[in-house]
Amino acid sequence: MSSVVVTGQSEQSQRELPMESWMSHLPCALWDTPLYHLAIPGSHNAITYCLDMNDTSPVDLTQPNMLQKLDKYMKPLIRPFVYRWAITQEYTVKKQLDCGVRYCDLRIAHRPNDSSTDLYFYHGVYTTLTVETVLMEIREWLDAHPKEVVILSFSHFLGLTQELHMLLLTTIRNVFTPKLCPKTEVLTLRNLWALGYQVIVSYEHNIVSYHGDLWPHIPYWWANKCKAEALIEEFEDRKQHGRPGGLFVTGINLTEDLKYICTHPTESLKDLVMATYPTLLSWVKEQTPGSKLGCLNIIAGDFITESNFAPTVVTLNEKLLKWSS
């Protein structure tokens, strides 16, 4: 793709990049831009589409003691509330990747009283799919999309012993070698394509310093607000203090509190998200990727297959083109 074509591209053409392969279709003017200066769509709590809905899973151990007791003795009454507010994504990880997501927020747990070494994801309750199964699905997707790069953030470890951490690292390496990008590499598309690296693994644990193929935990800006306007105000304030130097996430995911849930008994997290997406995405359209004060990088949300979330984020890279033209 020539530079003449790049500088002549319209915002409309950027918006219409095929989301399943948008990285490989980026103009060559952006191939040497570090990934931490690009606008990248992300999935908050990416693996909640397969939460255990058969009531066989206990609520996860991060939940308040009161909820755990209520769930134990009043499960038929409590579980519908848990499910409605715990599901943050409705589609499989492959579908999310097809829709343009390149950052996945992965929260790992070992289920209590499980004699096996199987690991799961969790949010409210545990998933039915194991971590290894989901990672294999991501690997298969990457094999079919050799110029796309994904950032996998492993965090919020629950119930993992040192032995289970090592088993997880072994699984990650078995699944993704030779696609794993070492933390010494230059994170540009041109460099990653040349070396065949497609997976950046960040790991929120102190063992990260002992492993060259693990990147440190990626900062995640979380506003902890249940109203879009309050979330935007929080992020505008943070932007005044500058962005982190490397990869970082701005999470436009809203957070419901107990008061909100109790005052909206027939609603769900999706109802809340869909009602606020017009306001949130209007704010996203005003953002700019890059290295300057106030610039954003990864933007993560809930129900990312809805409301043109990913195209809205990817289109922000058009602003980088305008600067370089």
Side-chain angles (χ1 to χ4, degrees):
M1 188 179 293
S2 71
S3 59
V4 175
V5 174
V6 168
T7 57
Q9 283 188 325
S10 68
E11 185 173 346
Q12 185 65 26
S13 65
Q14 287 295 297
R15 185 177 293 113
E16 292 177 353
L17 288 178
M19 284 298 103
E20 73 277 5
S21 55
W22 67 265
M23 284 182 160
S24 62
H25 283 82
L26 281 179
C28 60
L30 297 179
W31 294 356
D32 295 307
T33 301
L35 294 186
Y36 43 84
H37 291 163
L38 292 178
I40 298 174
S43 176
H44 168 249
N45 252 316
I47 319 297
T48 56
Y49 54 86
C50 56
L51 293 178
D52 190 340
M53 304 291 279
N54 294 322
D55 297 350
T56 56
S57 166
V59 294
D60 74 60
L61 297 179
T62 67
Q63 300 304 312
N65 288 334
M66 179 61 72
L67 179 61
Q68 294 190 45
K69 290 179 180 178
L70 288 173
D71 181 72
K72 184 175 181 180
Y73 297 108
M74 303 172 64
K75 195 181 298 287
L77 183 63
I78 296 300
R79 275 303 166 97
F81 283 94
V82 173
Y83 297 138
R84 285 207 299 268
W85 294 96
I87 295 173
T88 60
Q89 310 295 342
E90 291 182 320
Y91 290 93
T92 68
V93 70
K94 283 188 175 182
K95 176 67 173 176
Q96 293 179 48
L97 294 170
D98 281 340
C99 288
V101 160
R102 296 295 178 269
Y103 164 91
C104 293
D105 169 21
L106 305 176
R107 307 188 179 201
I108 312 299
H110 182 254
R111 290 173 59 142
N113 304 316
D114 185 350
S115 59
S116 78
T117 57
D118 290 340
L119 297 177
Y120 297 85
F121 307 93
Y122 73 99
H123 189 224
V125 294
Y126 302 87
T127 58
T128 56
L129 294 180
T130 65
V131 170
E132 183 173 12
T133 298
V134 171
L135 297 187
M136 285 298 298
E137 290 179 359
I138 295 173
R139 169 64 192 247
E140 291 171 5
W141 187 91
L142 289 169
D143 287 341
H145 301 82
K147 295 184 80 173
E148 300 301 300
V149 177
V150 298
I151 302 159
L152 304 180
S153 177
F154 292 79
S155 67
H156 293 73
F157 299 106
L158 181 61
L160 268 68
T161 61
Q162 199 71 12
E163 178 189 17
L164 288 172
H165 274 290
M166 296 311 299
L167 284 171
L168 175 56
L169 296 187
T170 299
T171 299
I172 291 170
R173 290 171 179 139
N174 287 344
V175 172
F176 291 121
T177 300
K179 298 179 185 291
L180 274 180
C181 176
K183 58 186 170 189
T184 53
E185 279 303 331
V186 177
L187 291 183
T188 64
L189 288 174
R190 191 189 302 273
N191 187 53
L192 296 175
W193 290 342
L195 297 170
Y197 295 140
Q198 288 184 270
V199 182
I200 297 160
V201 169
S202 81
Y203 207 85
E204 190 184 23
H205 193 277
N206 56 19
I207 64 172
V208 73
S209 58
Y210 302 105
H211 299 273
D213 51 1
L214 300 180
W215 292 70
H217 178 61
I218 297 170
Y220 193 111
W221 284 5
W222 175 53
N224 193 21
K225 307 292 184 183
C226 63
K227 292 185 178 180
E229 294 78 11
L231 179 145
I232 290 169
E233 181 180 352
E234 170 77 16
F235 288 152
E236 285 298 324
D237 180 64
R238 291 197 188 195
K239 285 167 55 181
Q240 302 307 310
H241 302 285
R243 52 151 294 166
L247 294 165
F248 86 103
V249 184
T250 303
I252 63 169
N253 47 289
L254 296 167
T255 305
E256 74 288 348
D257 54 23
L258 188 58
K259 178 182 176 182
Y260 188 94
I261 293 174
C262 290
T263 55
H264 298 77
T266 62
E267 291 188 12
S268 66
L269 179 61
K270 186 175 183 180
D271 293 325
L272 173 62
V273 169
M274 298 314 296
T276 54
Y277 248 149
T279 300
L280 292 173
L281 292 185
S282 292
W283 178 78
V284 168
K285 289 175 184 177
E286 298 172 0
Q287 306 312 302
T288 303
S291 60
K292 298 179 181 178
L293 181 76
C295 287
L296 300 187
N297 175 210
I298 301 165
I299 300 175
D302 293 327
F303 303 100
I304 50 80
T305 56
E306 307 285 347
S307 299
N308 288 315
F309 168 80
T312 300
V313 176
V314 171
T315 301
L316 296 179
N317 293 306
E318 178 78 15
K319 301 180 182 183
L320 296 175
L321 281 179
K322 290 177 179 176
W323 292 348
S324 63
S325 61

